[in-house]
Amino acid sequence: MGGVGRGRRGRAARGRRATGRRPVDEQDRAALQELLRAYGPVGQEDEVREVARRRLEPSVDRCWQDPAGNVVGLVRGTDPDAPAVRVTAHLDELSMLVKRVEPDGSLHVTPLGTMYPGNFGLGPVAVLGDGRHLPGVLALGSEHTTQETPRVWQTKPDGGDQALDWTHVSVFTGRSPADLADAGVGPGTRVCVDRSKRGLFDVGGFVGSYFLDDRAAVAALLRAARELRGGTRPRADTYLVLSVAEEIGGVGASYACRTLPGDLVVALEVGPAEAEYGTSVHGGPVVGYSDAAGVYDKRVADRLCAAARARGVVAQPAVLGAFESDASHATAAGLSARAGLLCLPTLSTHGYEVMPATAVTDVAAVLVEFLRQPAEREGPV
């Protein structure tokens, strides 16, 4: 695999890398916190899209929303002959979808994206009705029950010992079905983790929150846009795509790759920090060489690792499984000729996620260095 030698050196160097070497930028932190607090379930990304567009627009030459719902920002390059590059970070978040309203006013929900009730934890949620948002509680039931309450008993270690699943939980609303209907709540309504659980949590030199996937990557893209517009511009015209519906198959980015110029797409993502992949949350950005949906362009991955070295960051090359991105979805569908993947190293992906406090700064620095390199013009390997 490309970059294996660098990977061995990188693993040896991780212990020497000071997590807080780069100062945490307060503008980045403020942007990330605002993005985290904004709701953005698949198919209803309006709130987070507005935050992201407002923050992106001053840093690009042109900004618009495409028919798929993506926010696209263009930063003009210095080489008019260089092929355009698309960079994506997705706006949407994992959430729940109302399947039915029960007679007692509770909501039976199913996942919108790949996760389980334990990823979210029992507690407050927001029910995004068409008329208004309502509070709710993701609930299981009393542990002080027997087999007469099978929904709970099945999950007890001294009972059925099953993993908690969506058939076991419901959303308590405290409302009647008529009240819910008046608020525009019914099948298809999105239910999100409540804002009260979406604040940044500092732990040593790291930060934790729900939905760092992919709001931290969006924050990194916003920082990169500021650097590119304010300093040395990219070599090629660069389309910064804040995409929708990544969690259900990279729908927005695939549309963007079909309609925007260029043959390369680079996805910014959270990257699993696991021994299985030789990656650590104590290390630098994760560079993907392949994932479950396909193989990333080796030259692009190698260039990303080189860009990290040029910025004094130790990249972590990885061959990923059970992972897909906007970029691998687009290439798998034949909508982009080449793809790259640059990730913020993250613990507990699709759960309460943790990453280095400097991850946004590091990934933005690597991306900017990559985009300022001479454009590739050679053919396929």
Side-chain angles (χ1 to χ4, degrees):
M1 179 186 104
V4 169
R6 287 188 298 281
R8 282 194 286 267
R9 290 196 298 274
R11 283 187 282 276
R14 279 175 207 144
R16 300 192 298 272
R17 183 184 185 276
T19 303
R21 182 174 61 188
R22 297 173 185 273
V24 179
D25 186 284
E26 289 306 314
Q27 187 173 355
D28 293 340
R29 185 182 176 93
L32 178 54
Q33 182 61 87
E34 187 178 15
L35 290 163
L36 288 168
R37 287 182 59 80
Y39 297 129
V42 174
Q44 200 169 325
E45 297 96 341
D46 311 71
E47 188 174 322
V48 69
R49 177 168 45 230
E50 176 56 34
V51 172
R53 179 169 184 165
R54 170 168 47 78
R55 286 184 171 273
L56 178 65
E57 202 157 16
S59 302
V60 294
D61 297 303
R62 183 184 167 212
C63 187
W64 69 96
Q65 181 177 322
D66 71 15
N70 304 307
V71 174
V72 184
L74 170 62
V75 180
R76 296 287 184 191
T78 59
D79 182 352
D81 297 321
V85 177
R86 293 79 55 98
V87 182
T88 73
H90 68 87
L91 296 169
D92 57 306
E93 67 189 59
L94 298 165
S95 67
M96 294 156 274
L97 193 67
V98 174
K99 186 173 182 179
R100 63 178 178 270
V101 178
E102 302 288 8
D104 65 355
S106 63
L107 306 177
H108 183 80
V109 293
T110 189
L112 187 51
T114 303
M115 79 294 184
Y116 305 94
N119 296 65
F120 285 163
L122 305 178
V125 296
V127 182
L128 308 188
D130 293 335
R132 62 186 185 277
H133 295 182
L134 299 176
V137 175
L138 185 63
L140 170 62
S142 176
E143 286 292 317
H144 300 90
T145 49
T146 67
Q147 293 185 50
E148 289 186 46
T149 310
R151 176 171 46 82
V152 179
W153 183 84
Q154 289 169 0
T155 69
K156 296 170 69 170
D158 59 346
D161 202 23
Q162 295 183 20
L164 186 67
D165 208 346
W166 295 102
T167 56
H168 301 123
V169 298
S170 61
V171 173
F172 177 82
T173 67
R175 311 265 179 162
S176 70
D179 290 339
L180 293 171
D182 183 65
V185 175
T189 295
R190 273 63 171 169
V191 179
C192 298
V193 171
D194 189 72
R195 279 193 234 279
S196 61
K197 296 177 67 175
R198 297 164 76 110
L200 281 171
F201 180 74
D202 293 296
V203 50
F206 299 82
V207 292
S209 178
Y210 291 107
F211 311 120
L212 291 175
D213 176 14
D214 203 25
R215 305 297 167 74
V218 172
L221 186 145
L222 293 173
R223 180 183 176 89
R226 297 198 306 271
E227 290 191 26
L228 290 169
R229 181 76 186 275
T232 305
R233 284 179 172 260
R235 290 294 184 117
D237 284 355
T238 301
Y239 292 87
L240 305 177
V241 182
L242 302 172
S243 65
V244 298
E246 187 275 343
E247 296 291 0
I248 59 168
V251 176
S254 292
Y255 177 85
C257 286
R258 182 173 68 82
T259 56
L260 293 173
D263 62 6
L264 169 63
V265 57
V266 177
L268 303 187
E269 262 289 0
V270 297
E274 293 291 344
E276 172 182 349
Y277 305 123
T279 56
S280 167
V281 75
H282 298 280
V286 175
V287 174
Y289 278 78
S290 72
D291 69 18
V295 177
Y296 293 97
D297 188 286
K298 181 181 182 298
R299 287 193 308 261
V300 173
D302 288 346
R303 283 181 56 206
L304 286 167
C305 289
R309 290 195 301 275
R311 287 298 187 103
V313 178
V314 180
Q316 303 185 81
V319 172
L320 302 171
F323 182 99
E324 299 170 359
S325 76
D326 272 341
S328 59
H329 281 299
T331 50
L335 300 172
S336 184
R338 298 179 300 146
L341 176 66
L342 179 62
C343 301
L344 299 83
T346 308
L347 282 178
S348 189
T349 53
H350 279 207
Y352 191 88
E353 295 156 334
V354 178
M355 63 177 50
T358 56
V360 168
T361 306
D362 286 347
V363 163
V366 173
L367 177 63
V368 168
E369 183 69 26
F370 174 85
L371 293 171
R372 288 174 176 169
Q373 293 171 357
E376 296 172 319
R377 290 189 173 84
E378 66 267 34
V381 173

